[in-house]
Amino acid sequence: MTTTTEIIQAACPECSASVEFTRTPLNGEIARCAACGAELEVTCRSPLRLELAPEVEEDWGE
Amino acid sequence: MRIAMLYTRLRVEERLLLDAFDTAGFCVEPIDTRSIVLDPANPDAWSAYDAVFDRSLSLTASINIGRVLESFGLRVINPTSATEVCSDKLRTTLALERAGVPTPAVRVALDPESALGAVGEIGYPAVVKPTVGSWGRLVARINDRDAAEAIIEHRAALGSAQQGVYYVQEHIDKPGRDLRVFVVNHEPIAAIVRTSEHWVTNTARGAAAANFALSDEVVALAASASRAVGADLVAVDLLECPRRGLLVNELNHSMEFRNSIETTGVDIPGRLVGRVIEIAGSVGTASVGGAS
């Protein structure tokens, strides 16, 4: 994780592009890679780590 | 006063809710349901909270965690009983029917052959849905007997016990749209109209949303539906039936609203959080651990 002028960033695990957060993300937070469109999940805050977000489960919903 | 907010994935909705708590100057602790280990004999780990706001995506997590926390005497929002009713289309139908709230006609069968009979009773076209599911998943419109046989055979082949419940609903020839009403403490606060060329008018399936001015009829019906299921916070989906008027199609206990804030001009997360804080304030800490 690197922090520059309050931008927090980590590499997209799909395409290695930089994914930026304007504030500290929480575990489980969802982001989308602007470069490849992959849906990503924050799995560790320090150091910031992103993984591909899990597919929708059968019992998920609103 | 302390509130925990359960989540599975921290989506835009959950971020907006956390921001709303922050704006209200309120301390809330987000808890990832995947990190939770519960000791049903010991409520101590949860005694610091006055209420738990459930925003889990996973119905299984919501219900199982909710049952344990409520056994500790904690106030869960929505109550697990309401979540159980809203998340199960058959239980929703039962609650609405018992409360006299208009809803599409339904038949339920537990055998493929009986399911064909159920579709025949409802008439073509009919809609077959899983009793548990969201975002329009595995919802099928059946236009004729051939399609009924195919859909029912495929459902049986899925092999899941859950898919063995054939929930057959009257198809409502709606005018290419449905209504979603956001309800807080049985009071409708906003509504959108969802329009699609597809017969499934779900924004998760690409329907477009626009503001819908609440009418007296919509307010009364949505409030009745909310009361019928006992929800603190709920989104009520309404269908406009050419023959029967407005019908309650389903209720959503953990509503999505990211695209409805600007659309309606209503601070939906602020209103949801406001109600959660009200409930937590009315509960206090004395009851934790006091229930059987």
Side-chain angles (χ1 to χ4, degrees), chain B residues 48-59:
Chain B
Y49 303 111
D50 298 293
V52 176
F53 183 20
D54 173 30
R55 286 291 306 182
S56 171
L57 263 177
S58 162
L59 177 63

Side-chain angles (χ1 to χ4, degrees), chain B residues 27-181:
Chain B
C27 173
V28 63
E29 184 167 344
I31 300 176
D32 185 338
T33 56
R34 294 167 293 188
S35 70
I36 292 174
V37 178
L38 294 162
D39 177 356
N42 186 354
D44 289 352
W46 295 87
S47 60
Y49 303 111
D50 298 293
V52 176
F53 183 20
D54 173 30
R55 286 291 306 182
S56 171
L57 263 177
S58 162
L59 177 63
T60 308
S62 287
I63 289 177
N64 286 282
I65 294 170
R67 283 175 184 154
V68 175
L69 298 185
E70 286 178 344
S71 81
F72 295 156
L74 264 173
R75 179 67 157 86
V76 178
I77 303 156
N78 281 302
T80 306
S81 57
T83 298
E84 288 175 319
V85 172
C86 293
S87 61
D88 184 315
K89 291 180 175 59
L90 177 54
R91 294 190 66 173
T92 298
T93 297
L94 297 177
L96 295 174
E97 290 285 0
R98 296 296 89 79
V101 178
T103 188
V106 164
R107 298 291 186 276
V108 179
L110 297 161
D111 173 86
E113 195 61 35
S114 300
L116 273 175
V119 175
E121 278 193 28
I122 286 291
Y124 297 98
V127 178
V128 176
K129 302 177 174 180
T131 52
V132 175
S134 196
W135 300 322
R137 289 194 302 268
L138 294 179
V139 172
R141 181 168 66 181
I142 296 176
N143 292 326
D144 55 34
R145 170 89 185 189
D146 287 346
E149 290 177 353
I151 292 288
I152 290 168
E153 182 181 356
H154 280 85
R155 289 279 302 272
L158 291 174
S160 153
Q162 187 63 46
Q163 298 299 334
V165 181
Y166 298 90
Y167 176 94
V168 184
Q169 188 183 58
E170 165 192 16
H171 177 262
I172 303 300
D173 190 19
K174 59 192 178 189
R177 67 181 205 172
D178 73 359
L179 309 179
R180 165 160 292 197
V181 188

Side-chain angles (χ1 to χ4, degrees), chain B residues 230-284:
Chain B
D232 299 307
L233 314 169
V234 73
V236 182
D237 292 346
L238 306 179
L239 302 176
E240 299 160 289
C241 177
R243 292 181 299 106
R244 298 175 58 200
L246 285 172
L247 305 174
V248 176
N249 187 37
E250 61 183 48
L251 294 94
N252 302 277
H253 62 276
S254 188
M255 69 189 83
E256 293 168 341
F257 51 79
R258 72 181 72 175
N259 297 321
S260 300
I261 302 167
E262 284 190 21
T263 304
T264 63
V266 175
D267 176 14
I268 296 172
R271 297 293 298 271
L272 299 178
V273 161
R275 181 57 188 155
V276 171
I277 293 172
E278 274 181 11
I279 292 171
S282 68
V283 170

